[in-house]
Amino acid sequence: MQTVKFLVAWILILPFAPGADSNWTQFRGPNANPVGVDARLPDAWSKTKNVEWSAEIPGRGWSSPIVVGAKVFVTAATTDGKSKPPQMGTDYSNDYVAELMKQGLSEQEVMKRVGERDIEMPNEVTLHYFLYCLSLDKGAVLWKQEFYSGRPPGGRHRKNSFTSETPVTDGEFVYVYVGNLGLFAYDLNGKQAWATRLEANQIYLDFGTGGSAALHGNRLLIISDNEKHQYIAAFDKQTGKQLWRTDRDLKDPTITMMRSGWTTPFIWTNKVRTEIVTIGPGAAVSYDMEGKELWRLSGITAAPAPSPFAYDEMLYLDGGQGRPLFAVRPGASGDISLGKTENSNDYVAWSQDRAGTYITSPVAYQGGLYVLYDKGILARFDAKTGKQSYKSRIDPEAWAFTSSPWAYNGKIFCQSEEGKTYVFTAGEKFELLHVNLLDEMALATPAIVGDRVLIRTEGHMYSMRQAR
């Protein structure tokens, strides 16, 4: 019954290119750690309060917005005809499995029925994939380009979308990556520079893809952890030509049936070197800029979604639901995995057992590591020592979170799938200040641009800004 047990291992999700305060160039922003610096950023909003503008985004996508200059970019896919709608929460497929098993149905029949209800297969839909460019000041659509149409390269769990990967920009071009489909480059006026199609490899139970691309210098970097052929690859950002590709064979040794992952690679420039940090099934692996393995760390979940990032010269790895959090020092080499009784070693500064999350990535802010769990619990750990400050339930009615938390102006922000943003005081004490209501499903992580917060919901983009 392992297949049924891990049915809900779907993952969304979903990168270092520093820029000016008016740019948000990649998923989770500079250093993949979403922190704002403008004192004018709003901490309260609704559908009417502190809304500078809202724009309808046709189609469905859980990609986050990125911003360069006065332009906002986001992807979405429209469907010819009907499409299976999303549903909040992470347990509804498991609940359905339990209900069917109580009826005495076989595992094969259970899988068939759950698939019919919750998985959308390529032969069921025809899609149109779009890159949208919006005005940062007004929210008007400046242009949109269809970069692919037809059947998708694989299925998706209806909680996922066919465009969950966030684009990345170098300020001159926008690079769109869709797992198992391809890479596409556009200039800021909407002219396509190149397109590189990729082979379609099976994702576990057709849950769909989610990990975004990273950009460093002339290289676009992707990881493709799937059931057939796992690899990490670099592409020339000017031509789309593959520069190198390194095959990998990652899996949790206790659950060898799963080899898919949904994480974003992180370019870590530290005091020793620049490296490509990846989290995969069963292990985190770091590579040099030519794809040669530098080090690895075991203890990662079989279905990884949280992505790595750096803060104050330390690398943070979220091992996934039920697995540890790790803080790693620069300069590691070889296998740096912890022994059964260890929680640190020469390169692992500290680890916290069972502190990892399901989908969300933590945020580091003012000396604290804030960890948001999918069922509505927020924890804080000291970023240097790993000591836990608190672990508290956000709200008895808050039960589903997919967006990663973010921070600014002494506050931590946690957005639920219902579109409620819970605002906390940053620090060692758990203190809820207030709740901002949008009443619209939200799974994408916001962008923080100057004095604006860009929030993407199921059907809209909102620019939240203090009223002038």
Side-chain angles (χ1 to χ4, degrees):
M1 299 298 287
Q2 276 191 315
T3 301
V4 172
K5 180 179 179 181
F6 290 99
L7 181 64
V8 296
W10 56 268
I11 309 291
L12 308 178
I13 311 271
L14 175 158
F16 177 51
D21 189 35
S22 60
N23 294 333
W24 195 261
T25 56
Q26 60 192 348
F27 177 57
R28 285 173 41 89
N31 276 339
N33 187 37
V35 173
V37 297
D38 196 306
R40 300 167 297 172
L41 279 160
D43 63 13
W45 56 78
S46 67
K47 282 191 172 182
T48 56
K49 180 180 181 180
N50 284 336
V51 178
E52 181 185 27
W53 53 259
S54 66
E56 185 176 355
I57 306 295
R60 182 173 298 128
W62 296 128
S63 60
S64 297
I66 62 170
V67 180
V68 58
K71 294 180 177 180
V72 182
F73 298 93
V74 73
T75 56
T78 62
T79 307
D80 289 344
K82 294 183 178 180
S83 178
K84 293 181 180 179
Q87 183 172 338
M88 288 183 280
T90 59
D91 283 339
Y92 60 91
S93 288
N94 270 353
D95 292 341
Y96 189 41
V97 167
E99 175 186 329
L100 296 174
M101 292 178 65
K102 285 182 180 179
Q103 297 175 20
L105 300 179
S106 66
E107 180 177 339
Q108 182 178 6
E109 181 62 22
V110 168
M111 293 296 295
K112 177 175 179 293
R113 294 197 186 187
V114 174
E116 289 173 347
R117 192 191 76 161
D118 290 343
I119 306 296
E120 192 160 70
M121 298 299 291
N123 64 344
E124 297 181 272
V125 288
T126 298
L127 301 176
H128 302 274
Y129 291 72
F130 289 99
L131 172 64
Y132 287 88
C133 175
L134 284 69
S135 163
L136 178 61
D137 293 330
K138 304 293 184 182
V141 176
L142 301 177
W143 53 261
K144 69 175 182 178
Q145 291 292 353
E146 184 175 9
F147 59 89
Y148 176 77
S149 64
R151 302 292 188 183
R156 70 168 180 104
H157 192 287
R158 66 187 179 118
K159 180 65 173 289
N160 201 349
S161 76
F162 286 110
T163 54
S164 291
E165 299 88 346
T166 296
V168 62
T169 180
D170 59 5
E172 296 182 357
F173 291 86
V174 175
Y175 304 96
V176 177
Y177 170 57
V178 176
N180 286 334
L181 178 63
L183 285 157
F184 309 85
Y186 287 87
D187 68 20
L188 301 189
N189 295 316
K191 181 180 179 181
Q192 187 176 90
W194 52 260
T196 299
R197 291 294 304 275
L198 299 172
E199 69 268 34
N201 293 316
Q202 179 71 33
I203 298 296
Y204 180 70
L205 293 185
D206 278 295
F207 286 149
T209 58
S212 304
L215 179 63
H216 180 76
N218 193 47
R219 293 176 173 90
L220 276 168
L221 297 129
I222 65 168
I223 49 176
S224 179
D225 286 330
N226 57 76
E227 300 305 297
K228 182 180 178 182
H229 192 174
Q230 298 169 309
Y231 64 91
I232 176 174
F235 298 82
D236 188 314
K237 75 173 186 179
Q238 296 177 332
T239 65
K241 180 180 179 181
Q242 181 175 295
L243 299 174
W244 54 258
R245 172 168 163 167
T246 300
D247 293 338
R248 50 202 247 149
D249 183 16
L250 301 180
K251 55 185 178 291
D252 183 334
T254 65
I255 312 169
T256 57
M257 58 182 282
M258 298 173 64
R259 291 162 52 85
S260 296
W262 295 262
T263 69
T264 297
F266 173 62
I267 311 302
W268 186 23
T269 299
N270 54 60
K271 61 185 179 182
V272 178
R273 64 196 172 210
T274 296
E275 53 193 285
I276 310 161
V277 182
T278 72
I279 295 179
V285 183
S286 188
Y287 303 85
D288 70 15
M289 296 311 296
E290 299 303 322
K292 180 182 178 181
E293 183 174 324
L294 296 170
W295 56 264
R296 65 172 54 205
L297 172 67
S298 63
I300 306 298
T301 181
S307 297
F309 67 98
Y311 170 76
D312 199 17
E313 299 185 355
M314 199 93 77
L315 175 73
Y316 294 94
L317 304 172
D318 185 325
Q321 187 174 31
R323 299 302 176 93
L325 288 174
F326 302 94
V328 177
R329 299 184 181 97
S333 62
D335 190 339
I336 64 169
S337 301
L338 297 172
K340 289 184 178 180
T341 61
E342 292 181 321
N343 57 23
S344 65
N345 59 28
D346 288 345
Y347 289 107
V348 178
W350 58 261
S351 65
Q352 274 283 354
D353 192 37
R354 300 185 62 82
T357 63
Y358 185 31
I359 297 175
T360 63
S361 301
V363 63
Y365 183 61
Q366 295 182 349
L369 189 68
Y370 294 86
V371 182
L372 174 63
Y373 298 91
D374 66 291
K375 293 184 180 179
I377 292 174
L378 180 65
R380 182 192 185 276
F381 300 89
D382 184 279
K384 288 186 177 181
T385 67
K387 180 181 178 181
Q388 182 174 301
S389 305
Y390 63 75
K391 187 174 185 180
S392 301
R393 176 157 294 282
I394 290 174
D395 181 338
E397 298 181 357
W399 53 277
F401 291 79
T402 293
S403 303
S404 294
W406 67 97
Y408 53 75
N409 296 340
K411 300 177 180 66
I412 307 298
F413 299 81
C414 300
Q415 178 178 252
S416 76
E417 293 182 1
E418 298 174 281
K420 297 179 180 179
T421 300
Y422 295 82
V423 184
F424 301 88
T425 299
E428 297 185 5
K429 293 184 178 180
F430 179 83
E431 182 183 4
L432 176 63
L433 298 174
H434 56 265
V435 183
N436 302 329
L437 304 178
L438 280 181
D439 298 323
E440 190 173 350
M441 189 175 184
L443 275 74
T445 298
I448 309 166
V449 191
D451 62 351
R452 296 175 169 96
V453 181
L454 299 179
I455 296 177
R456 184 181 190 177
T457 62
E458 182 181 358
H460 294 84
M461 183 84 72
Y462 290 90
S463 176
M464 303 303 185
R465 196 181 193 193
Q466 293 278 13
R468 300 295 180 185

